[in-house]
Amino acid sequence: MKTYSITDTGILREMNQDYFFASDEPVGNLPNLYIVADGMGGHKAGDYASRYTTQRIVASVSRNPGDEPVTILKEAIETANKLLITESAEDESKRGMGTTLVAATVIGRHLVVANIGDSRLYIINRDIRQITRDHSLVAEMVRIGEVPVSEARKHPDKNIITRAIGAGDDVDADFFEVDLNEGDRILICTDGLTNMVEDQDIRDIVLQNIPLEERVELLVRTANRNGGKDNITVMMIE
Ligand code: MG
């Protein structure tokens, strides 16, 4: 397996509140671990939230003696959520901070993914498949048929997310388990990519016959060329 990741501030934002962690080597009892987080909260709180949460999850996974990947990730997310809420209660400047999270591990041909918020994990082969389900107001309106799919990306309420780490005492992550096929590429990213680049264009770039690093760079460059309105994080595993 080969992994390459970039996080970029984008064109419009002054700070990068995204954060990522990637290890192709074991972390505790998981054979590898991939995390992308998009922090929110004013004045340095957002970047603190995404970094702190990622680091707490890595620490918790490292120490967990269990052997069930979903349970290991679930316990790590619950621990990180509690710690983040404590941090935000203790420090006025961090009040209300939170973060999205995608955490994934590949066990042989089996992918396990945890998701909270609107960062995404895709599997790209001939087609592009979004595995995670966005926890956003607009995505929920699409699911109940109030907003057509074609209008979702441009919707004014696009940024309202309905679940986040740090938003409450109970954190409700979705888990997805997928069997991987030969040639599947895994893409984990924040909304700074997906709001700027259409899924089909993401697919076309991922399938180009150039080195992994150049394709990841091209995804970031395309998001910036299309406006770069938010921080952009792209992680590709193949
Ligand atoms: Mg974002």
Side-chain angles (χ1 to χ4, degrees):
M1 245 169 3
K2 196 176 173 203
T3 308
Y4 190 67
S5 320
I6 295 179
T7 186
D8 186 272
T9 306
I11 306 284
L12 287 192
R13 299 281 168 94
E14 278 177 11
M15 272 176 53
N16 192 345
Q17 301 195 319
D18 288 357
Y19 196 79
F20 73 82
F21 170 88
S23 175
D24 296 325
E25 303 297 319
V27 176
N29 282 346
L30 298 182
N32 44 61
L33 181 61
Y34 306 100
I35 299 174
V36 166
D38 179 348
M40 61 212 83
H43 231 84
K44 296 205 165 224
D47 67 319
Y48 183 86
S50 58
R51 186 177 69 242
Y52 181 81
T53 299
T54 302
Q55 290 169 348
R56 300 287 41 96
I57 286 172
V58 173
S60 166
V61 168
S62 323
R63 284 194 299 262
N64 196 320
D67 55 8
E68 172 43 50
V70 170
T71 310
I72 292 171
L73 290 174
K74 197 166 194 290
E75 288 174 359
I77 289 166
E78 282 164 4
T79 303
N81 186 62
K82 284 201 185 80
L83 290 168
L84 192 69
I85 286 173
T86 306
E87 290 279 313
S88 86
E90 282 171 357
D91 183 345
E92 184 73 39
S93 72
K94 298 197 180 91
R95 200 78 24 104
M97 68 178 170
T99 185
T100 73
L101 181 88
V102 174
T105 184
V106 180
I107 301 159
R109 291 204 159 273
H110 195 66
L111 169 71
V112 178
V113 188
N115 178 56
I116 300 149
D118 67 350
S119 298
R120 292 179 178 175
L121 185 143
Y122 291 94
I123 292 178
I124 297 154
N125 204 325
R126 262 170 294 269
D127 55 354
I128 178 164
R129 271 194 297 155
Q130 184 182 335
I131 303 300
T132 52
R133 232 170 34 132
D134 298 350
H135 300 137
S136 71
L137 194 62
V138 169
E140 272 157 32
M141 291 196 291
V142 168
R143 282 196 283 274
I144 60 171
E146 273 185 24
V147 170
V149 182
S150 56
E151 281 169 29
R153 282 181 67 245
K154 308 263 182 230
H155 198 282
D157 293 331
K158 188 72 195 73
N159 291 326
I160 301 174
I161 66 170
T162 49
R163 290 192 220 172
I165 292 190
D169 289 332
D170 292 317
V171 62
D172 189 13
D174 286 341
F175 284 87
F176 303 89
E177 300 193 51
V178 185
D179 286 323
L180 296 167
N181 295 309
E182 191 65 44
D184 280 351
R185 291 126 170 124
I186 299 166
L187 176 75
I188 311 178
C189 59
T190 56
D191 64 339
L193 176 73
T194 50
N195 284 339
M196 292 292 119
V197 189
E198 301 270 6
D199 281 10
Q200 284 313 311
D201 296 332
I202 293 175
R203 171 202 169 272
D204 292 347
I205 292 170
V206 168
L207 294 181
Q208 280 191 28
N209 196 15
I210 52 174
L212 174 65
E213 293 82 355
E214 288 177 32
R215 283 174 282 146
V216 173
E217 281 158 17
L218 187 53
L219 285 167
V220 172
R221 213 157 52 232
T222 307
N224 278 326
R225 205 186 298 132
N226 292 352
K229 289 186 185 159
D230 194 2
N231 308 141
I232 306 149
T233 301
V234 178
M235 178 181 294
M236 213 154 100
I237 307 151
E238 55 183 35

